[in-house]
Amino acid sequence: MENGWILIFDSGVGGLTILHRMLQMYPNENYYYYADVANVPYGNKDKDEVQDLILKAIASVNQRYNLKSIVIACNTATSVAIQSLRNLYSIPIIGMEPAIKPGISQLTNGSICVMATALTLQEEKFQNLIKNLNVDDKVVSIAMPELVEAAEEFDFNSPKLVATIKRKLSSINWSQIEVLVLGCTHFIYFSKLLSFLLPDHVKIIDGNEGTIRQISNKLTHFNRANGQVITSLSGKEIDNELIKPYLDFLDKLKSQ
Ligand code: DGL
Protein backbone atom coordinates (compact mmCIF):
# COMPACT_ATOMS: atom_id res chain seq x y z
CA MET A 1 0.00 0.00 0.00
CA GLU A 2 2.95 2.35 -0.38
CA ASN A 3 1.09 4.59 -2.79
CA GLY A 4 -1.94 4.93 -0.57
CA TRP A 5 -3.13 8.20 0.89
CA ILE A 6 -2.65 9.48 4.41
CA LEU A 7 -5.91 11.08 5.49
CA ILE A 8 -5.41 14.01 7.87
CA PHE A 9 -8.72 14.97 9.40
CA ASP A 10 -9.85 17.99 11.42
CA SER A 11 -12.93 20.14 11.88
CA GLY A 12 -11.07 22.98 10.13
CA VAL A 13 -7.61 24.50 9.89
CA GLY A 14 -6.18 23.01 13.12
CA GLY A 15 -4.98 19.81 11.46
CA LEU A 16 -2.87 21.85 9.04
CA THR A 17 -0.40 22.13 11.93
CA ILE A 18 0.11 18.36 11.55
CA LEU A 19 0.08 18.42 7.72
CA HIS A 20 2.71 21.19 7.83
CA ARG A 21 5.14 18.99 9.82
CA MET A 22 4.36 15.88 7.79
CA LEU A 23 5.13 17.71 4.54
CA GLN A 24 8.53 18.71 5.94
CA MET A 25 9.32 15.20 7.10
CA TYR A 26 7.75 13.08 4.37
CA PRO A 27 7.29 15.25 1.27
CA ASN A 28 6.82 12.22 -0.98
CA GLU A 29 3.68 10.93 0.70
CA ASN A 30 0.16 11.54 -0.64
CA TYR A 31 -1.96 13.55 1.78
CA TYR A 32 -5.70 14.00 1.77
CA TYR A 33 -6.48 16.93 4.09
CA TYR A 34 -10.13 16.96 5.16
CA ALA A 35 -11.41 20.07 6.97
CA ASP A 36 -15.02 19.73 8.04
CA VAL A 37 -15.55 23.49 7.83
CA ALA A 38 -19.29 23.10 7.22
CA ASN A 39 -19.51 21.87 10.80
CA VAL A 40 -16.70 23.67 12.62
CA PRO A 41 -16.54 24.14 15.60
CA TYR A 42 -16.94 20.60 16.89
CA GLY A 43 -15.99 21.65 20.40
CA ASN A 44 -19.34 22.99 21.50
CA LYS A 45 -21.53 20.39 19.79
CA ASP A 46 -23.07 17.26 21.16
CA LYS A 47 -20.83 14.17 21.26
CA ASP A 48 -23.12 11.91 19.18
CA GLU A 49 -23.59 14.56 16.52
CA VAL A 50 -19.82 15.06 16.16
CA GLN A 51 -19.17 11.35 16.06
CA ASP A 52 -21.75 10.91 13.31
CA LEU A 53 -20.23 13.74 11.24
CA ILE A 54 -16.73 12.24 11.51
CA LEU A 55 -17.75 8.67 10.65
CA LYS A 56 -19.73 9.80 7.59
CA ALA A 57 -16.98 12.11 6.33
CA ILE A 58 -14.27 9.48 6.66
CA ALA A 59 -16.44 6.78 5.05
CA SER A 60 -16.94 9.01 2.01
CA VAL A 61 -13.18 9.61 1.59
CA ASN A 62 -12.44 5.93 2.14
CA GLN A 63 -14.86 4.97 -0.65
CA ARG A 64 -12.96 7.04 -3.19
CA TYR A 65 -9.34 6.87 -2.06
CA ASN A 66 -6.99 4.06 -1.17
CA LEU A 67 -6.17 5.12 2.41
CA LYS A 68 -3.08 3.70 4.09
CA SER A 69 -3.60 5.50 7.39
CA ILE A 70 -5.93 7.96 9.09
CA VAL A 71 -4.64 10.76 11.30
CA ILE A 72 -7.27 12.42 13.44
CA ALA A 73 -5.47 15.75 13.81
CA CYS A 74 -8.03 17.01 16.29
CA ASN A 75 -8.25 16.36 20.02
CA THR A 76 -12.02 16.79 20.05
CA ALA A 77 -12.64 14.35 17.18
CA THR A 78 -10.25 11.85 18.78
CA SER A 79 -12.11 11.91 22.09
CA VAL A 80 -15.46 11.15 20.51
CA ALA A 81 -14.66 8.92 17.53
CA ILE A 82 -11.29 7.16 17.74
CA GLN A 83 -12.71 3.95 19.20
CA SER A 84 -15.45 3.62 16.59
CA LEU A 85 -12.96 4.35 13.80
CA ARG A 86 -10.61 1.65 15.08
CA ASN A 87 -13.51 -0.79 15.15
CA LEU A 88 -14.41 0.07 11.55
CA TYR A 89 -11.03 0.25 9.78
CA SER A 90 -8.04 -2.05 9.90
CA ILE A 91 -5.45 0.52 8.70
CA PRO A 92 -3.41 2.44 11.34
CA ILE A 93 -5.43 5.20 12.98
CA ILE A 94 -3.55 7.85 14.91
CA GLY A 95 -5.33 10.24 17.24
CA MET A 96 -4.41 13.11 19.53
CA GLU A 97 -4.88 13.84 23.19
CA PRO A 98 -3.82 16.73 25.44
CA ALA A 99 -0.16 16.24 26.43
CA ILE A 100 -0.91 15.87 30.15
CA LYS A 101 1.72 13.24 30.87
CA PRO A 102 4.60 15.26 29.36
CA GLY A 103 3.17 18.34 31.11
CA ILE A 104 3.09 16.66 34.52
CA SER A 105 6.62 15.33 34.08
CA GLN A 106 7.90 18.93 33.81
CA LEU A 107 6.36 20.15 37.08
CA THR A 108 8.37 21.05 40.14
CA ASN A 109 5.64 21.92 42.64
CA GLY A 110 2.99 23.77 40.64
CA SER A 111 0.16 22.69 38.34
CA ILE A 112 -0.65 22.43 34.67
CA CYS A 113 -3.41 24.21 32.80
CA VAL A 114 -5.03 22.35 29.91
CA MET A 115 -6.54 24.58 27.25
CA ALA A 116 -8.92 22.65 24.97
CA THR A 117 -12.46 22.64 23.62
CA ALA A 118 -15.40 22.18 25.98
CA LEU A 119 -16.18 18.80 24.40
CA THR A 120 -12.62 17.49 24.88
CA LEU A 121 -12.61 18.62 28.52
CA GLN A 122 -15.94 17.05 29.37
CA GLU A 123 -15.27 13.74 27.57
CA GLU A 124 -14.59 10.50 29.41
CA LYS A 125 -11.25 10.06 27.59
CA PHE A 126 -9.86 13.26 29.15
CA GLN A 127 -11.37 12.55 32.58
CA ASN A 128 -9.91 9.03 32.54
CA LEU A 129 -6.50 10.32 31.51
CA ILE A 130 -6.40 12.55 34.60
CA LYS A 131 -7.82 9.83 36.84
CA ASN A 132 -5.38 7.16 35.62
CA LEU A 133 -2.41 9.45 36.16
CA ASN A 134 -3.83 10.35 39.56
CA VAL A 135 -3.27 14.06 38.98
CA ASP A 136 -6.72 15.58 39.66
CA ASP A 137 -5.20 18.10 42.06
CA LYS A 138 -2.51 19.16 39.57
CA VAL A 139 -4.71 20.00 36.58
CA VAL A 140 -6.87 23.02 35.89
CA SER A 141 -8.61 23.51 32.56
CA ILE A 142 -9.95 26.25 30.37
CA ALA A 143 -12.15 26.03 27.25
CA MET A 144 -11.23 28.51 24.50
CA PRO A 145 -13.77 28.26 21.65
CA GLU A 146 -12.82 31.83 20.68
CA LEU A 147 -9.45 30.61 19.39
CA VAL A 148 -11.05 28.03 17.10
CA GLU A 149 -13.25 30.70 15.57
CA ALA A 150 -10.35 33.16 15.23
CA ALA A 151 -8.08 30.59 13.54
CA GLU A 152 -10.81 29.80 11.02
CA GLU A 153 -10.99 33.52 10.23
CA PHE A 154 -7.19 33.83 9.96
CA ASP A 155 -7.24 36.23 12.89
CA PHE A 156 -4.12 35.62 14.95
CA ASN A 157 -3.64 38.94 16.71
CA SER A 158 -6.46 41.47 16.20
CA PRO A 159 -6.90 43.86 19.16
CA LYS A 160 -10.37 42.44 19.79
CA LEU A 161 -9.04 38.89 19.94
CA VAL A 162 -6.12 39.84 22.19
CA ALA A 163 -8.57 41.56 24.58
CA THR A 164 -10.75 38.41 24.66
CA ILE A 165 -7.76 36.15 25.33
CA LYS A 166 -6.50 38.42 28.11
CA ARG A 167 -9.94 38.41 29.73
CA LYS A 168 -10.17 34.61 29.58
CA LEU A 169 -6.63 34.13 30.89
CA SER A 170 -7.33 36.38 33.86
CA SER A 171 -9.68 33.73 35.31
CA ILE A 172 -6.65 31.55 36.15
CA ASN A 173 -4.08 32.06 38.89
CA TRP A 174 -0.96 31.74 36.75
CA SER A 175 1.44 32.01 39.67
CA GLN A 176 0.58 28.36 40.43
CA ILE A 177 0.78 27.16 36.80
CA GLU A 178 4.09 25.93 35.45
CA VAL A 179 2.92 24.38 32.18
CA LEU A 180 0.18 25.29 29.72
CA VAL A 181 -0.91 22.35 27.55
CA LEU A 182 -2.45 23.30 24.21
CA GLY A 183 -5.03 20.52 23.81
CA CYS A 184 -6.52 21.62 20.50
CA THR A 185 -4.72 21.77 17.17
CA HIS A 186 -6.29 25.15 16.35
CA PHE A 187 -4.45 26.64 19.34
CA ILE A 188 -0.96 26.01 17.93
CA TYR A 189 -1.31 29.14 15.78
CA PHE A 190 -1.53 31.19 18.99
CA SER A 191 1.46 29.70 20.82
CA LYS A 192 3.67 32.78 20.36
CA LEU A 193 0.87 35.18 21.30
CA LEU A 194 0.05 33.13 24.42
CA SER A 195 3.69 33.00 25.49
CA PHE A 196 3.80 36.78 25.11
CA LEU A 197 0.65 37.26 27.20
CA LEU A 198 1.53 34.79 29.97
CA PRO A 199 4.14 35.19 32.71
CA ASP A 200 7.63 34.05 31.66
CA HIS A 201 7.70 31.06 34.00
CA VAL A 202 4.79 29.33 32.13
CA LYS A 203 6.05 26.76 29.64
CA ILE A 204 3.78 26.01 26.67
CA ILE A 205 3.61 22.50 25.21
CA ASP A 206 1.36 20.68 22.75
CA GLY A 207 0.69 17.16 21.53
CA ASN A 208 1.81 17.65 17.94
CA GLU A 209 5.35 16.30 18.24
CA GLY A 210 4.10 13.19 20.05
CA THR A 211 1.53 12.64 17.33
CA ILE A 212 4.12 13.09 14.57
CA ARG A 213 6.29 10.47 16.34
CA GLN A 214 3.38 8.05 16.41
CA ILE A 215 2.63 8.60 12.72
CA SER A 216 6.30 8.02 11.91
CA ASN A 217 6.28 4.77 13.88
CA LYS A 218 3.22 3.52 12.01
CA LEU A 219 4.46 4.54 8.55
CA THR A 220 6.11 1.42 7.29
CA HIS A 221 5.52 1.64 3.54
CA PHE A 222 6.81 4.84 2.03
CA ASN A 223 5.68 6.39 -1.19
CA ARG A 224 8.20 6.12 -4.01
CA ALA A 225 6.74 8.68 -6.41
CA ASN A 226 6.29 12.39 -5.79
CA GLY A 227 3.66 13.13 -3.21
CA GLN A 228 0.44 15.05 -3.72
CA VAL A 229 -1.87 17.01 -1.45
CA ILE A 230 -5.62 17.16 -1.89
CA THR A 231 -7.58 19.55 0.30
CA SER A 232 -11.24 18.96 0.92
CA LEU A 233 -13.68 21.28 2.64
CA SER A 234 -16.41 18.99 3.96
CA GLY A 235 -16.19 16.85 0.81
CA LYS A 236 -15.57 19.60 -1.73
CA GLU A 237 -12.04 19.41 -3.13
CA ILE A 238 -10.47 22.84 -3.45
CA ASP A 239 -7.36 24.54 -4.76
CA ASN A 240 -4.41 24.06 -2.38
CA GLU A 241 -3.63 27.76 -2.72
CA LEU A 242 -6.38 28.33 -0.17
CA ILE A 243 -4.46 26.58 2.62
CA LYS A 244 -1.12 28.18 1.70
CA PRO A 245 -1.49 31.27 3.95
CA TYR A 246 -1.86 28.93 6.96
CA LEU A 247 1.18 26.85 6.00
CA ASP A 248 3.17 30.07 5.45
CA PHE A 249 2.05 31.38 8.84
CA LEU A 250 3.27 28.14 10.47
CA ASP A 251 6.63 28.52 8.68
CA LYS A 252 6.96 31.98 10.16
CA LEU A 253 5.90 30.81 13.62
CA LYS A 254 8.68 28.18 13.60
CA SER A 255 11.36 30.59 12.48
CA GLN A 256 10.61 33.31 15.06
N1 DGL B 1 -9.02 21.28 16.23
C1 DGL B 1 -9.89 20.69 17.16
C2 DGL B 1 -9.14 20.07 18.34
O1 DGL B 1 -7.96 19.76 18.23
C3 DGL B 1 -11.14 21.36 17.65
C4 DGL B 1 -11.77 22.53 17.01
C5 DGL B 1 -13.29 22.55 17.07
O2 DGL B 1 -13.89 22.93 18.07
O3 DGL B 1 -13.84 22.19 16.04
O4 DGL B 1 -9.71 19.85 19.36
Side-chain angles (χ1 to χ4, degrees):
M1 258 247 225
E2 60 266 21
N3 292 327
W5 291 77
I6 300 173
L7 170 62
I8 300 187
F9 184 92
D10 183 42
S11 58
V13 297
L16 291 174
T17 60
I18 294 286
L19 176 67
H20 179 251
R21 280 291 283 138
M22 289 301 288
L23 284 170
Q24 289 171 339
M25 291 174 69
Y26 305 105
N28 291 338
E29 293 301 314
N30 290 323
Y31 298 99
Y32 193 96
Y33 186 76
Y34 192 107
D36 194 9
V37 293
N39 299 298
V40 69
Y42 279 173
N44 47 18
K45 289 191 170 57
D46 169 73
K47 172 189 173 160
D48 294 337
E49 182 188 353
V50 174
Q51 183 174 10
D52 206 43
L53 289 167
I54 298 165
L55 297 188
K56 281 194 181 128
I58 292 182
S60 75
V61 181
N62 183 57
Q63 260 169 22
R64 291 180 302 125
Y65 290 86
N66 172 25
L67 299 181
K68 67 175 177 186
S69 71
I70 299 174
V71 180
I72 304 299
C74 173
N75 296 257
T76 313
T78 301
S79 10
V80 301
I82 199 90
Q83 208 41 59
S84 313
L85 288 167
R86 290 197 171 125
N87 294 341
L88 283 166
Y89 300 98
S90 54
I91 52 176
I93 299 180
I94 296 101
M96 300 196 73
E97 64 184 16
I100 295 184
K101 216 172 167 182
I104 293 286
S105 72
Q106 295 184 36
L107 293 182
T108 50
N109 51 14
S111 304
I112 67 171
C113 174
V114 180
M115 193 179 270
T117 67
L119 190 51
T120 298
L121 296 174
Q122 85 201 26
E123 263 314 292
E124 216 178 302
K125 194 166 185 298
F126 178 73
Q127 297 300 337
N128 286 343
L129 189 61
I130 294 178
K131 226 184 281 155
N132 295 340
L133 292 169
N134 203 9
V135 290
D136 306 52
D137 56 337
K138 293 262 173 224
V139 180
V140 295
S141 62
I142 180 168
M144 286 286 250
E146 300 84 355
L147 295 187
V148 176
E149 203 181 301
E152 290 300 319
E153 286 166 6
F154 204 79
D155 172 7
F156 299 122
N157 58 6
S158 70
K160 189 171 165 237
L161 175 71
V162 173
T164 306
I165 299 175
K166 277 187 178 163
R167 184 176 46 79
K168 293 285 295 265
L169 294 180
S170 69
S171 66
I172 303 239
N173 178 3
W174 292 98
S175 65
Q176 301 301 314
I177 307 291
E178 290 178 287
V179 179
L180 170 65
V181 176
L182 303 181
C184 169
T185 48
H186 279 76
F187 299 174
I188 311 290
Y189 295 101
F190 304 95
S191 51
K192 284 270 145 60
L193 176 62
L194 288 165
S195 75
F196 177 74
L197 295 174
L198 288 171
D200 287 346
H201 72 268
V202 180
K203 195 162 179 231
I204 302 182
I205 63 168
D206 61 64
N208 276 31
E209 281 310 309
T211 305
I212 298 288
R213 258 198 313 277
Q214 277 195 51
I215 304 172
S216 299
N217 291 342
K218 299 260 163 75
L219 258 187
T220 44
H221 296 89
F222 293 95
N223 214 3
R224 287 198 206 98
N226 285 342
Q228 299 173 59
V229 177
I230 293 180
T231 307
S232 166
L233 301 185
S234 300
K236 183 173 182 286
E237 289 167 13
I238 55 148
D239 192 325
N240 286 333
E241 281 302 305
L242 287 170
I243 58 169
K244 199 166 174 300
Y246 284 94
L247 299 177
D248 290 347
F249 183 86
L250 292 168
D251 274 342
K252 263 203 283 174
L253 204 61
K254 275 259 142 74
S255 64
Q256 270 166 8

